[in-house]
Amino acid sequence: MTKKVLFKNLGQIDFKDAWDFQESLFKKAIDLKMYNRKHESDSAGQLPENHFLFCEHPHVYTLGKSGSADNLLIDDEGLKQKKATYYKINRGGDITYHGPGQIVGYPILDLDQFFTDIHRYLRTLEEVIIKTMADYGLKGDRYPGYTGVWLDPESDKARKICALGVRTSRWVTMHGFAFNVNTDLNYFNNIVPCGIDDKDVTSMERELGEKLPVQEVQHKIKKHFSNLFEVEFVE
């Protein structure tokens, strides 16, 4: 049976505001699952809502739980000059950058309604981006041992185009992916992206030699997400 997912495009939004919004949806889903379990009403009770959020953040660096603060290469004054903010957050992974021209996707899903396998979840998110890139004639790929989507991962020209970092609790997910479409890649020079110091970062614009209409790319991501997760979006 096709599952319903509530879709919302938050537009350009401060990272902390989006994080707080995610947390509220995440907590609501977990609280409902706990209530159902306590009252033994998993089968008869109301299931948590599933959400998929799109947004774009002003310049911001975020550091995951397993990351090192040393991978931020500028100080407070440097952040101010770059008009960027910095947050230590509760997802997995190391440091990354978000900014204009990047599509950020936040699925808040109850994986009990899909599949209880985090590895499969991450690989499916990667596949969404790989299929989106293929629509533009680009071969996205996986890099063994790393998350995210890459081009030419096994060569000395390996470059990352999409970062992934998630948090899960009781099989509910939050955070998600950051896909470089028309991103200013200079901002990645101020960090060791994802803690990987010997690989490049790229964007759709850089690979194709032209800016892409972000709404068009978002539409393609939604189509592939819908097909791979077998969901129907409710606006």
Side-chain angles (χ1 to χ4, degrees):
M1 189 175 78
T2 302
K3 295 165 281 291
K4 305 281 189 186
V5 172
L6 301 174
F7 173 78
K8 189 176 182 67
N9 190 337
L10 302 176
Q12 187 169 110
I13 181 172
D14 180 80
F15 180 84
K16 183 64 166 61
D17 291 341
W19 187 12
D20 288 345
F21 183 53
Q22 279 193 83
E23 288 280 11
S24 68
L25 299 176
F26 184 72
K27 182 179 185 301
K28 182 179 177 182
I30 291 171
D31 287 350
L32 179 56
K33 293 185 78 169
M34 294 294 290
Y35 177 88
N36 286 343
R37 182 169 297 180
K38 183 177 179 181
H39 294 82
E40 298 182 345
S41 60
D42 279 321
S43 58
Q46 179 186 353
L47 293 174
E49 293 177 340
N50 295 295
H51 297 263
F52 186 34
L53 310 175
F54 272 154
C55 64
E56 179 184 85
H57 296 307
H59 304 298
V60 59
Y61 298 104
T62 67
L63 180 69
K65 291 185 296 182
S66 55
S68 168
D70 291 341
N71 289 330
L72 177 67
L73 305 178
I74 54 175
D75 57 15
D76 289 346
E77 184 58 35
L79 287 169
K80 192 181 298 183
Q81 289 175 7
K82 292 285 182 182
K83 297 181 179 177
T85 52
Y86 169 63
Y87 292 98
K88 294 180 182 178
I89 64 173
N90 56 358
R91 61 162 170 77
D94 207 292
I95 197 165
T96 196
Y97 161 76
H98 300 308
Q102 184 185 71
I103 296 175
V104 178
Y106 293 135
I108 295 97
L109 305 180
D110 173 19
L111 292 184
D112 271 324
Q113 300 177 44
F114 295 85
F115 43 78
T116 50
D117 184 334
I118 296 300
H119 179 80
R120 181 179 170 189
Y121 173 64
L122 291 171
R123 302 296 81 79
T124 307
L125 284 182
E126 289 167 350
E127 190 66 19
V128 170
I129 301 302
I130 288 169
K131 287 185 176 295
T132 301
M133 291 173 62
D135 289 339
Y136 293 94
L138 292 175
K139 189 179 184 303
D141 215 336
R142 295 179 180 87
Y143 193 167
Y146 298 97
T147 59
V149 180
W150 299 72
L151 288 98
D152 301 320
E154 303 289 358
S155 77
D156 58 2
K157 295 180 180 177
R159 52 212 186 276
K160 193 172 191 177
I161 196 166
C162 182
L164 265 66
V166 303
R167 177 190 177 197
T168 60
S169 178
R170 301 189 182 277
W171 294 113
V172 178
T173 70
M174 65 176 290
H175 298 296
F177 64 83
F179 182 32
N180 296 329
V181 180
N182 303 322
T183 316
D184 182 350
L185 299 175
N186 290 317
Y187 275 81
F188 285 97
N189 295 333
N190 304 310
I191 59 173
V192 180
C194 304
I196 306 168
D197 61 6
D198 60 344
K199 301 290 184 290
D200 198 6
V201 177
T202 191
S203 67
M204 295 286 280
E205 179 185 10
R206 176 174 158 190
E207 297 298 322
L208 297 172
E210 61 181 356
K211 286 188 180 294
L212 295 178
V214 170
Q215 283 187 325
E216 177 185 282
V217 182
Q218 288 175 334
H219 177 76
K220 293 179 185 297
I221 291 172
K222 283 179 66 179
K223 178 187 72 174
H224 294 305
F225 188 100
S226 175
N227 291 338
L228 289 166
F229 283 94
E230 298 180 346
V231 301
E232 177 185 339
F233 286 117
V234 179
E235 300 287 336

